[in-house]
Amino acid sequence: MTFLQAPLDISKRLRDICEEVSPENYPIYMGIEPLPEFPPDNCYFNVAEMVEREGGDSVFGWAIYEWPRVWHEFQFHAIWRDNEGDLHDVTPRRDNEKVVLFLPSELEFTGAPVSTRWFLMTSRSPVKEIRDIQIEIEKLKQDSYAVRGAAPLPVGPERDLIISLEQKKLFLMSQQNCAPKLSDPCPCMSRQKYKFCCGRHTNRRR
């Protein structure tokens, strides 16, 4: 279950967050150009492979997502800069997203995972609890990575705890009212507002 996609526009609040996260850079919208031979969620190594094949270099930064009215989520990400200086996001997405809002950063991937950052739009307690659970899951995965290297999921008690936390997180998310409002991005990933896409009949009834 996910309610995340790239924001439809860059609000003043989001501009302020970007300035806090990476003061010297500006977010840019990019079309995703997934290469089918590359696995999802493996951007650092996918881009390193492109550099080895075609030259250019890796550019690190943040892929910005939005859960409407709930939070902005900044996931550390890598894209490929070709020899002409053009930027390409070559990593497939599991949700088939077609666009990324990318904020370049001075940070670099050095082999250890970089923590995702969440900026809440609400003070509701369940949302804070969901965020805190996700932070705990990431820490468990990072601790396992430090010990075992790039494993897809920790083994043993850590794995069981992560699965339990994921189930709790999904339950809490299911209790939220996540029905899209008319001005939200349409859940079908059309990159249109809900009222102009899957919600257009709802809009007419009103």
Side-chain angles (χ1 to χ4, degrees):
M1 179 190 301
T2 179
F3 312 106
L4 297 173
Q5 55 179 296
L8 291 183
D9 52 41
I10 303 172
S11 64
K12 182 182 183 304
R13 179 182 185 278
L14 183 53
R15 287 199 305 271
D16 291 343
I17 294 171
C18 290
E19 187 171 350
E20 174 188 338
V21 171
S22 187
E24 303 301 319
N25 297 288
Y26 298 92
I28 53 175
Y29 284 100
M30 298 174 51
I32 297 172
E33 309 167 51
L35 294 184
E37 67 268 30
F38 285 161
D41 305 327
N42 202 38
C43 60
Y44 311 122
F45 303 102
N46 294 342
V47 171
E49 175 68 19
M50 285 300 299
V51 172
E52 186 174 344
R53 288 187 199 175
E54 305 289 343
D57 61 344
S58 299
V59 178
F60 300 103
W62 303 91
I64 302 172
Y65 297 95
E66 181 180 72
W67 180 357
R69 305 179 308 284
V70 178
W71 66 46
H72 286 107
E73 182 170 319
F74 283 54
Q75 298 178 10
F76 203 63
H77 190 55
I79 61 176
W80 175 54
R81 179 163 50 204
D82 66 23
N83 288 317
E84 304 300 319
D86 295 324
L87 300 175
H88 308 269
D89 190 345
V90 297
T91 298
R93 300 297 197 276
R94 296 187 188 278
D95 56 10
N96 295 316
E97 178 119 23
K98 302 297 189 296
V99 173
V100 63
L101 180 58
F102 182 75
L103 177 65
S105 173
E106 304 306 317
L107 293 175
E108 295 190 1
F109 176 68
T110 59
V114 178
S115 295
T116 298
R117 300 181 66 176
W118 290 269
F119 298 88
L120 303 188
M121 302 181 194
T122 176
S123 59
R124 298 201 311 268
S125 296
V127 171
K128 291 181 178 179
E129 188 174 0
I130 293 168
R131 188 269 317 272
D132 291 345
I133 289 171
Q134 190 59 53
I135 290 172
E136 187 174 355
I137 290 170
E138 282 217 353
K139 185 177 187 311
L140 286 166
K141 289 182 177 180
Q142 289 177 4
D143 290 347
S144 175
Y145 186 99
V147 173
R148 301 183 177 92
L153 194 66
V155 296
E158 295 95 341
R159 180 189 179 94
D160 294 338
L161 180 54
I162 287 174
I163 291 173
S164 174
L165 288 168
E166 288 281 9
Q167 291 172 341
K168 182 178 181 181
K169 181 185 74 173
L170 290 174
F171 173 77
L172 288 170
M173 291 175 75
S174 72
Q175 302 304 300
Q176 305 305 302
N177 179 12
C178 297
K181 293 192 175 181
L182 293 177
S183 293
D184 287 346
C186 192
C188 76
M189 299 287 188
S190 66
R191 303 298 299 161
Q192 298 184 66
K193 290 185 178 181
Y194 180 65
K195 63 184 175 183
F196 298 134
C197 191
C198 297
R200 60 187 180 277
H201 301 301
T202 303
N203 193 29
R204 287 174 187 157
R205 287 197 298 270
R206 294 183 181 182

